[in-house]
Amino acid sequence: TTAHFKLDNVPEGVYHIQALWDQDTTESRIDAPGILFSDVTILEINQRLKVDLEINQKIPPRKLVKNKFVKLVEIQSDTLSGWWHRPVRVKAAVLLPSGYFENNEEKYPVRYNVAGYGRRYTRINYLLKEKDFSDYWFSKDAPQIINVFLDGEGPFGDSYQLDSENNGPYGYSLVNELIPAIEKEYRTEGAKLRFVDGCSTGGWVSLALQLFYPDVFNGVWSYSPDAIEFENYQLTNIYKDKNAFYNEWGNLRPAARDLTGDPVVTFKDFIQYENVLGVSGSYLNSGGQIGAHTALYSPRGKNKLPVPMFDPVTGEIDSLVAQSWKKYDLKLYLEKNWATLGPKLQGKIFIWMGDMDHFYLNPATRAFDGFLKKTVNPKSDATVTFEAMKGHCAGFSHKDILQMMAKRAEQLR
């Protein structure tokens, strides 16, 4: 097969160019097994020329590291399959504690870890390749906890492990299908000692799971969560601002910064990148971060795509769609339901945020913390920690979180 692309509108300069043939129809992102790609070629654009790229490589199937303590869980979700009218399978990787095979009667606390954006269950491979963690985990000093690494794959990017009009009932499937399947196979102590954690996307998802399913999880460790309230969706107040790209002074909003505060990329450029990835020519099915946010928060459009909260080219905000995002605004959700949720959340919430978060996520967490500090009947006992001059996920540590979970498990026994 030969394909032709024109580069007439690309400015002169030296570029790295690579061809990628996305022939996968079951996964949402461009690193799915079976996708074909070429080597990277250096291209200087200063005249009309022809470049031949040979697609000669294929992304291999995913595999888990061979280890008797590592297990793959894969089930066909009846709920998601019925919703999508096709077979939908969900996966997770399980890491068993070092003493698991020594006593066939003992039961263990269980940790459900949610990854950063789009990360897969195979991240367990990289964790066990870290000698420091691997040596620790298989030593007698490590907590005896079952680890479950959830999969970030969803139809529009990361599923965020929750129900939505666009993704379908991922939250229901997790709670009613995947978790029961895992805990039927492995010896856990159930909801009493069932914990959840994550950083970045995983920070948002883990906190949302604890709030939306307060009786299913008994503790959350949320690090650098995505914007947990939308008056501070990064630097945009989606309920009041008119444009996601430009602020009230007409300046482009940054989407990321370094630790000195120097902007790295604007939100407009970030969206333009996702627009290129989207088959629709927009971020709505890019498989990227904002595409996944929109799939979770927005209603479904007549074209079967999520309805955009802001225009992909101009950045103009649709105030009606912005209002529909409120049901996933975690601060508003708690404000509305504190009388019933507050008692169920006591002792369960632990949040960490760097005050120089690279993606401007600290203002939303500050606002969320401000609400918690004002709560009554009951007064929230959530632990929310801010660290000055710390960036995105700088405080996250598998070892530290496992030790905190082990301590809480001892208190609950």
Side-chain angles (χ1 to χ4, degrees), residues 162-184:
L162 290 178
D163 298 346
S164 77
E165 290 186 34
N166 295 289
N167 293 324
Y170 270 84
Y172 183 92
S173 177
L174 171 67
V175 169
N176 295 284
E177 295 176 324
L178 184 60
I179 288 177
I182 291 170
E183 299 190 8
K184 181 180 179 181

Side-chain angles (χ1 to χ4, degrees), residues 108-360:
Y108 299 89
V110 58
R111 168 207 187 191
Y112 287 86
N113 172 259
V114 188
Y117 185 77
R119 295 289 300 277
R120 306 303 301 271
Y121 60 97
T122 48
R123 63 188 180 280
I124 191 175
N125 297 344
Y126 303 104
L127 183 60
L128 288 180
K129 285 180 182 178
E130 294 178 8
K131 188 175 185 304
D132 181 57
F133 179 84
S134 185
D135 289 347
Y136 166 75
W137 184 248
F138 294 113
S139 73
K140 293 184 178 180
D141 296 329
Q144 296 298 293
I145 296 176
I146 294 174
N147 290 261
V148 178
F149 298 91
L150 298 178
D151 191 19
E153 170 59 18
F156 288 95
D158 204 300
S159 72
Y160 277 65
Q161 310 295 335
L162 290 178
D163 298 346
S164 77
E165 290 186 34
N166 295 289
N167 293 324
Y170 270 84
Y172 183 92
S173 177
L174 171 67
V175 169
N176 295 284
E177 295 176 324
L178 184 60
I179 288 177
I182 291 170
E183 299 190 8
K184 181 180 179 181
E185 181 72 18
Y186 302 102
R187 304 190 307 271
T188 78
E189 296 197 57
K192 181 179 179 181
L193 299 182
R194 185 186 296 136
F195 308 126
V196 64
D197 78 285
C199 194
S200 192
T201 290
W204 191 97
V205 173
S206 59
L207 181 59
L209 286 173
Q210 182 66 80
L211 300 187
F212 290 134
Y213 300 100
D215 299 320
V216 174
F217 300 97
N218 207 1
V220 57
W221 283 261
S222 169
Y223 285 71
S224 303
D226 289 359
I228 52 182
E229 60 90 49
F230 300 149
E231 290 181 12
N232 297 280
Y233 182 64
Q234 293 187 285
L235 295 178
T236 301
N237 182 336
I238 71 167
Y239 307 127
K240 293 183 178 179
D241 289 332
K242 302 298 183 183
N243 194 287
F245 296 163
Y246 297 92
N247 64 18
E248 61 185 298
W249 299 284
N251 297 320
L252 284 168
R253 286 194 176 92
R257 61 182 171 184
D258 65 17
L259 283 178
T260 70
D262 204 12
V264 174
V265 63
T266 68
F267 191 68
K268 182 179 181 180
D269 284 346
F270 193 86
I271 295 303
Q272 286 179 335
Y273 168 72
E274 287 203 23
N275 288 342
V276 172
L277 292 179
V279 175
S280 64
S282 75
Y283 63 87
L284 298 177
N285 53 4
S286 66
Q289 179 87 70
I290 308 304
H293 282 176
T294 307
L296 176 61
Y297 305 146
S298 281
R300 195 180 194 199
K302 294 180 179 179
N303 59 358
K304 298 184 179 180
L305 291 176
V307 180
M309 188 269 287
F310 60 88
D311 186 275
V313 176
T314 67
E316 183 180 356
I317 291 174
D318 185 325
S319 59
L320 290 177
V321 180
Q323 290 297 311
S324 74
W325 282 34
K326 283 186 173 181
K327 59 186 175 182
Y328 296 97
D329 183 317
L330 300 186
K331 180 168 72 74
L332 293 182
Y333 181 74
L334 273 192
E335 287 178 349
K336 182 179 179 181
N337 298 285
W338 185 254
T340 54
L341 283 179
K344 294 183 177 184
L345 296 173
Q346 292 298 87
K348 296 184 179 182
I349 297 178
F350 306 89
I351 300 173
W352 182 93
M353 175 60 73
D355 251 335
M356 281 300 292
D357 184 85
H358 289 84
F359 302 103
Y360 303 93

Side-chain angles (χ1 to χ4, degrees), residues 358-372:
H358 289 84
F359 302 103
Y360 303 93
L361 301 174
N362 47 310
T365 306
R366 285 281 183 186
F368 188 83
D369 182 48
F371 163 74
L372 292 176

Side-chain angles (χ1 to χ4, degrees), residues 46-165:
N46 56 13
Q47 58 185 349
R48 296 183 63 85
L49 48 77
K50 178 182 178 182
V51 177
D52 294 322
L53 296 173
E54 180 183 0
I55 295 179
N56 55 10
Q57 299 178 66
K58 180 189 290 188
I59 297 175
R62 291 186 176 84
K63 296 181 180 179
L64 293 182
V65 62
K66 290 184 178 181
N67 187 305
K68 75 173 185 177
F69 293 91
V70 175
K71 307 293 181 182
L72 171 65
V73 176
E74 181 176 1
I75 65 169
Q76 180 165 311
S77 167
D78 293 339
T79 305
L80 289 168
S81 298
W83 199 89
W84 280 100
H85 306 293
R86 61 175 174 81
V88 176
R89 303 186 70 81
V90 291
K91 304 179 181 71
V94 175
L95 175 62
L96 299 171
S98 60
Y100 188 83
F101 297 104
E102 297 174 6
N103 183 340
N104 291 332
E105 301 298 325
E106 186 171 356
K107 294 184 177 182
Y108 299 89
V110 58
R111 168 207 187 191
Y112 287 86
N113 172 259
V114 188
Y117 185 77
R119 295 289 300 277
R120 306 303 301 271
Y121 60 97
T122 48
R123 63 188 180 280
I124 191 175
N125 297 344
Y126 303 104
L127 183 60
L128 288 180
K129 285 180 182 178
E130 294 178 8
K131 188 175 185 304
D132 181 57
F133 179 84
S134 185
D135 289 347
Y136 166 75
W137 184 248
F138 294 113
S139 73
K140 293 184 178 180
D141 296 329
Q144 296 298 293
I145 296 176
I146 294 174
N147 290 261
V148 178
F149 298 91
L150 298 178
D151 191 19
E153 170 59 18
F156 288 95
D158 204 300
S159 72
Y160 277 65
Q161 310 295 335
L162 290 178
D163 298 346
S164 77
E165 290 186 34

